[in-house]
Amino acid sequence: MKRSFKFISLLLTLVIVLGTLTACGKKEDYINDEGSSNVETYSDGVYQGIGSGNGGDILLEVTIKDGEISSIEVLDHKETEILSDAAFQKIIQGVLDSQSVNIDHVTGATFSSAGIILALKDALKKAGGNDEIFKKGEKINLADREEELNQTYDVIVIGGGGAGLSAAIEAKAAGANVVLLEKMSSVGGNTLVSGGGLNVPGTEQQKKLGVEDSVDLFIEDTLNGGDNINKKELVRVIAENALPTTKWLIDEIKVEFMPDRLQQFGGHSVARALIPKNNQGTELIKKLKNHGDDLGVIFKMETKAEKLIMDENNKVIGVMATNSAGQEITFNANKGVIIASGGFGANLEMRKKYNPEKDEKYKTTDVAGTTGDGITMVEDIGGDLIHMEHIQTYPTCNPKTGIISYVANSRFDGAVLLNQEGIRFVEEMDRRDVISEAILSQTNGESYLVWGQEVEEVGHMTEVHKNEYDVFEKMDLIYKADTLEELANHFDIDKVKFMESIEKYNGYVDNGKDEEFNRRGSLKHIAKGPFYIQKVTPAIHHTMGGIVINEDARVLDKDGNIIQGLFAAGEVTGGIHGTNRLGGNAVTDVIVFGRIAGQKVVE
Ligand code: ADP
């Protein structure tokens, strides 16, 4: 019987046709010991089910026809776009093909997978199913298998975040035959879950908003932010290429940026961060992936690069990889290999190895795939590493999950940070490391961000990031009230001191100068309700150390010599950001150097 499924999100409707998933490899036949014995169990009809995923409830609808599961529609969910798309597609297709919900989770999307399976079971119970039936047969393995275990391309890119996608596109556009290996079930990496903001001096937005900026000022801020141990020549590459790269993103990749919005992240002396549509990295990743698909870049998902292959002259000529079907594949590269596998924020042991203080007491904002694989692979062949001990925490994250809070970016629009005692303790526009350390030394290592309508109206953070707001509210980590007193009461903060602090701050706004911390940027009153208070704490966010590269994104060995055939770009590289990366500098770095790597490997 031919079956189809529909996947509907709130914003877009995708109709996914049976068979699309088999494109990148031969799908193993689904083997279920007891065959489709569920057929007689389910009663015909349409049934809804709910399951709890990563961001909230997943609601879907299952249609049973002639006793079989004939279609599955996702009606609503709050999972991360792109990441969950891959999991939903794979699992739904697997269920339709096998007629079983005894099915594997998808790599890198454990909670979304679990959520959709729960929702399916919930719906199927209404159709007459039960836990005994759901457990029947062998667990369905969703792995795609490769037919050819020895494959040759011009260029191999390892990792499908912002750097890898940009590199693959440029190499392909220059005429190379390109394969991109991604160990997760979807592309995106940390770039996907970022706010997507990138610093660029000289944009139309700066002209429109009257912001005076220059390449040199951008360089100066970045060097100060990194305590001047940054590799200056690499910082200059980013600063000089930021504007042309933005033009490329807009003209070629069709990325949409907010036309009238700039953010001034901590440590920057002017507002210079462009913000993509929806203020999410999804806008960048979605458009880059589409462009890569259009050009004909070959994507191999759930395929993990394990080792670099070298010839007798120490030139890198390929990559040994494994996939989720347990196969070992040799990818040969005619022209070169580009490592774009991201940082090591999600690798606790590696973090502790290089900086014992960054241990289990920290949660992380990073996606599960950022385990430093590229760094280890390069180290194994004698490549040089730099600044490995510099690991950054992001100051304002969810205290229960470690996930970065974008609602809390209301800080850049004028919100203030207070402690449990109701007192301000740091300049809110200071560097991430400074604010993080300041928060960790407060009671419970936590802090409260407070703002009212004057700040909310600048960036509408609670609306732009509504899904995240709902999660914080459900966890009782954010509270909205008509009066400031109610905010203090809600989190048991010393009310008198809290009110005094806000009153004092409003006085600074009146005089245009923050007498206590000399806050940068424009000061905003906190006087007009409704008001917001949000509990936040730091989590591991970015690893500044990594592979040593030159201005052409070529990897260097310990003597400073080029390792032939090898390039690296993005968070996997080190030295660009010094001790501390400034907000909005990662995306600029990954796209600029990703493109350079893709261009140079073909030259
Ligand atoms: P960047 O910002 O530098 O592009 P990201 O974190 O956005 O870095 O993306 C890095 C990507 O590399 C992630 O999607 C991650 O899953 C992937 N990755 C990490 N290690 C490997 C590996 N060994 N093989 C293939 N992909 C990998």
Side-chain angles (χ1 to χ4, degrees):
M1 173 188 283
K2 185 159 165 42
R3 305 176 192 100
S4 68
F5 68 82
K6 283 179 253 169
F7 160 74
I8 301 177
S9 86
L10 276 182
L11 298 170
L12 76 166
T13 303
L14 285 172
V15 180
I16 300 152
V17 184
L18 193 80
T20 50
L21 294 168
T22 54
C24 56
K26 185 177 178 292
K27 186 181 283 293
E28 243 183 348
D29 288 335
Y30 296 114
I31 302 156
N32 185 328
D33 272 355
E34 304 177 31
S36 296
S37 56
N38 301 340
V39 170
E40 286 154 30
T41 317
Y42 299 131
S43 313
D44 281 4
V46 179
Y47 307 92
Q48 289 197 344
I50 291 183
S52 180
N54 202 20
D57 284 343
I58 299 168
L59 172 69
L60 51 70
E61 200 167 78
V62 176
T63 303
I64 307 290
K65 202 169 159 217
D66 301 330
E68 284 204 11
I69 305 167
S70 67
S71 81
I72 298 167
E73 281 182 27
V74 177
L75 302 177
D76 188 19
H77 74 90
K78 297 185 174 63
E79 307 303 281
T80 310
E81 211 186 333
I82 298 176
L83 270 186
S84 59
D85 292 353
F88 288 178
Q89 286 179 21
K90 258 199 139 160
I91 288 172
I92 290 175
Q93 191 76 67
V95 170
L96 289 170
D97 287 349
S98 68
Q99 293 291 300
S100 169
V101 285
N102 188 9
I103 201 156
D104 266 351
H105 288 174
V106 168
T107 320
T110 310
F111 292 111
S112 300
S113 301
I116 193 151
I117 293 170
L118 279 175
L120 281 164
K121 287 179 177 171
D122 185 38
L124 290 173
K125 276 185 181 165
K126 295 171 190 164
N130 60 47
D131 289 332
E132 277 309 301
I133 292 168
F134 298 154
K135 273 191 260 166
K136 269 188 185 171
E138 269 180 30
K139 201 163 216 171
I140 305 297
N141 181 349
L142 294 169
D144 294 326
R145 290 180 69 79
E146 291 289 338
E147 280 176 90
E148 185 49 70
L149 298 183
N150 195 313
Q151 305 183 16
T152 302
Y153 300 87
D154 294 332
V155 176
I156 301 167
V157 179
I158 302 172
L165 288 168
S166 304
I169 287 170
E170 286 295 52
K172 182 74 197 174
N177 180 14
V178 182
V179 67
L180 185 149
L181 313 181
E182 168 55 58
K183 72 174 174 181
M184 293 295 159
S185 56
S186 85
V187 294
N190 278 339
T191 313
L192 179 76
V193 297
S194 77
L198 80 158
N199 293 312
V200 190
T203 57
E204 289 303 315
Q205 283 85 339
Q206 283 190 328
K207 281 179 206 146
K208 223 189 271 182
L209 298 170
V211 178
E212 291 223 5
D213 199 6
S214 67
V215 164
D216 286 338
L217 187 60
F218 181 24
I219 293 173
E220 195 184 313
D221 285 346
T222 301
L223 295 178
N224 283 337
D227 289 319
N228 278 292
I229 66 161
N230 321 50
K231 295 191 88 177
K232 296 180 184 50
E233 69 281 10
L234 300 183
V235 176
R236 180 160 285 281
V237 171
I238 292 174
E240 286 177 349
N241 284 285
L243 192 57
T245 292
T246 302
K247 286 200 161 71
W248 177 79
L249 283 173
I250 295 169
D251 297 341
E252 298 278 323
I253 311 298
K254 310 293 177 209
V255 171
E256 291 174 58
F257 292 100
M258 296 186 188
D260 302 307
R261 172 114 166 106
L262 284 175
Q263 268 187 324
Q264 181 176 353
F265 292 126
H268 292 276
S269 47
V270 296
R272 56 166 71 99
L274 291 179
I275 306 298
K277 197 169 98 177
N278 301 331
N279 199 173
Q280 285 172 350
T282 44
E283 169 68 6
L284 298 167
I285 294 296
K286 204 163 50 180
K287 301 274 171 78
L288 286 165
K289 172 71 167 55
N290 287 346
H291 199 76
D293 280 335
D294 290 348
L295 289 178
V297 171
I298 293 163
F299 290 92
K300 301 277 184 192
M301 300 298 173
E302 294 185 82
T303 304
K304 180 175 180 244
E306 304 277 1
K307 218 173 80 185
L308 298 167
I309 304 168
M310 303 185 85
D311 69 7
E312 61 283 2
N313 301 317
N314 284 341
K315 179 181 176 196
V316 174
I317 52 164
V319 175
M320 202 282 283
T322 53
N323 67 9
S324 56
Q327 296 174 296
E328 191 176 299
I329 309 132
T330 301
F331 291 95
N332 307 296
N334 291 330
K335 286 185 185 293
V337 173
I338 299 171
I339 303 182
S341 54
F344 60 97
N347 185 336
L348 176 64
E349 289 315 311
M350 197 161 166
R351 261 166 37 201
K352 286 200 292 193
K353 172 179 165 189
Y354 288 107
N355 185 337
E357 198 271 322
K358 296 293 188 298
D359 60 12
E360 38 276 281
K361 71 173 171 288
Y362 289 97
K363 295 188 170 60
T364 180
T365 65
D366 292 356
V367 294
T370 50
T371 47
D373 304 5
I375 294 172
T376 314
M377 280 186 268
V378 164
E379 201 181 15
D380 286 349
I381 61 154
D384 199 11
L385 306 180
I386 184 173
H387 296 165
M388 292 299 290
E389 68 279 24
H390 296 301
I391 298 174
Q392 178 177 79
T393 53
Y394 193 84
T396 52
C397 303
N398 183 318
K400 292 188 181 163
T401 63
I403 294 172
I404 192 167
S405 170
Y406 293 110
V407 173
N409 278 359
S410 51
R411 176 165 61 101
F412 306 118
D413 296 335
V416 293
L417 281 167
L418 299 171
N419 60 16
Q420 192 66 45
E421 290 71 35
I423 293 169
R424 265 179 91 217
F425 55 91
V426 72
E427 192 227 328
E428 291 83 355
M429 294 295 286
D430 212 325
R431 293 163 27 162
R432 292 170 174 182
D433 54 347
V434 175
I435 300 178
S436 294
E437 270 165 43
I439 292 177
L440 286 177
S441 59
Q442 306 306 306
T443 306
N444 301 326
E446 291 172 340
S447 164
Y448 298 93
L449 201 63
V450 177
W451 70 102
Q453 290 309 303
E454 300 88 341
V455 172
E456 184 59 21
E457 279 160 15
V458 177
H460 304 281
M461 286 290 116
T462 67
E463 286 167 35
V464 174
H465 302 288
K466 173 84 171 73
N467 284 353
E468 183 204 306
Y469 182 90
D470 291 345
V471 171
F472 265 78
E473 197 171 42
K474 216 167 165 181
M475 292 180 169
D476 194 25
L477 293 170
I478 201 162
Y479 188 67
K480 180 181 181 180
D482 288 331
T483 65
L484 286 161
E485 285 87 348
E486 284 172 88
L487 300 188
N489 275 345
H490 187 79
F491 285 115
D492 247 348
I493 300 170
D494 185 319
K495 198 161 50 181
V496 176
K497 297 236 178 63
F498 182 89
M499 295 306 292
E500 271 175 19
S501 297
I502 301 283
E503 204 177 310
K504 207 159 39 160
Y505 185 78
N506 282 333
Y508 301 151
V509 182
D510 289 337
N511 299 331
K513 184 161 172 56
D514 170 10
E515 299 290 347
E516 269 169 297
F517 298 104
N518 202 16
R519 182 180 177 139
R520 280 163 276 200
S522 69
L523 308 184
K524 290 268 182 290
H525 286 105
I526 301 171
K528 199 165 109 194
F531 301 96
Y532 298 91
I533 184 163
Q534 184 184 8
K535 198 185 252 195
V536 287
T537 197
I540 300 291
H541 184 55
H542 190 94
T543 47
M544 272 73 67
I547 301 168
V548 176
I549 56 166
N550 68 11
E551 289 108 304
D552 290 343
R554 283 176 164 268
V555 175
L556 305 182
D557 68 14
K558 293 196 171 67
D559 299 320
N561 299 319
I562 287 169
I563 299 177
Q564 293 301 328
L566 191 60
F567 298 76
E571 195 178 340
V572 75
T573 66
I576 297 173
H577 305 288
T579 58
N580 169 66
R581 175 179 68 74
L582 293 186
N585 272 6
V587 178
T588 311
D589 171 11
V590 308
I591 310 281
V592 165
F593 269 107
R595 290 186 70 205
I596 291 173
Q599 291 159 358
K600 295 291 171 186
V601 72
V602 180
E603 277 176 25

